[in-house]
Amino acid sequence: MALSPDRLDRFARHIVIPEIGGAGQVALSEARITLVGLGGIGSPALQYLAGAGIGHITLIDDGDVELSNLQRQTIYTQRDIGHSKAVSARRWLANFDSEIVVDVRDDRIGRDNAAEILGGTHLVIDGTDNFATRLAVSDACVAIGVPLLSAAVGRFQGQVAAFAGHLEGQACYRCYVGDAFDNDECDTCADDGMLGAMAGWAGSFAAIQAVRILLGGKSALGDPQWGKLHMLDGMKPGMRTLNIAKDPECGGCGD
């Protein structure tokens, strides 16, 4: 696949980077990603992934835009209040880059439908705010053999990690959090609050990691960093990285 002159011009700042180059940019244009959750993390991640030239994006969110979202969910405006987040995000994408192929799902993703919804994608990025959904998405990714990039944020803290539980020896998200959170009862940013810019940091860092994963084996950008949990601290500020070990008895990816 060759890039048109307009696309070459649009992504020139990528193409001149040796770690991406023309081959890497073509790979991004052929990539299919699914973004689960279009809130504080999903919004900036979507902006930078669209800017990176991802060719096909599926948007999943069953919520509507609320006034309180605008403090951190950067793709929405006051005109979007009361409208579907997924539909509003598709409108933003159409205005930003009409060549991106977009699919929209505004139904709730869960254990019963996750595998069907996520099938056919190259990478799932989860920015949802409850453990039940996150675990359902993780288990489905393991079952269908798709890598998962998980990102979360609260107050002044953020976490971003890539999981490939379908690969031998690699952990999944359930290896990290265990089985205690298979329900919707957990704290959200509505309970704890969140510095809006922290969502931007976590979302944009997730976009960097997504590009790294999508270019694995196709450019010199680096390894996908499976099982590495990057913890972002907005108070210090700083970042540290932990390794997540595979649990051989994990209900999602264990033996």
Side-chain angles (χ1 to χ4, degrees), residues 69-130:
N69 298 153
L70 304 185
Q71 168 252 8
R72 64 200 177 280
Q73 299 181 18
T74 50
I75 58 175
Y76 307 120
T77 69
Q78 292 182 120
R79 292 184 178 182
D80 296 314
I81 294 173
H83 296 282
S84 162
K85 286 186 178 181
V87 173
S88 298
R90 178 175 60 185
R91 184 183 308 114
W92 181 89
L93 272 172
N95 290 329
F96 180 76
D97 187 346
S98 60
E99 292 197 27
I100 297 175
V101 179
V102 184
D103 293 324
V104 169
R105 297 289 298 254
D106 59 1
D107 48 347
R108 187 172 184 82
I109 189 170
R111 189 164 302 281
D112 294 337
N113 62 0
E116 179 268 323
I117 291 176
L118 300 177
T121 193
H122 297 143
L123 173 66
V124 174
I125 304 168
D126 188 344
T128 55
D129 64 357
N130 72 83

Side-chain angles (χ1 to χ4, degrees), residues 141-219:
C141 285
V142 173
I144 64 178
V146 173
L148 170 66
L149 183 62
S150 176
V153 66
R155 293 193 177 183
F156 298 94
Q157 309 295 322
Q159 298 181 2
V160 178
F163 297 100
H166 59 289
L167 299 180
E168 184 176 358
Q170 296 295 340
C172 72
Y173 178 76
R174 188 179 286 275
C175 291
Y176 169 44
V177 301
D179 300 327
F181 299 106
D182 280 303
N183 60 69
D184 292 312
E185 297 178 4
C186 64
D187 293 335
T188 68
C189 65
D191 303 312
D192 292 341
M194 181 196 305
L195 178 67
M198 274 304 305
W201 185 9
S204 59
F205 187 78
I208 294 173
Q209 297 302 90
V211 170
R212 188 189 307 276
I213 292 168
L214 293 168
L215 294 185
K218 301 173 183 176
S219 80

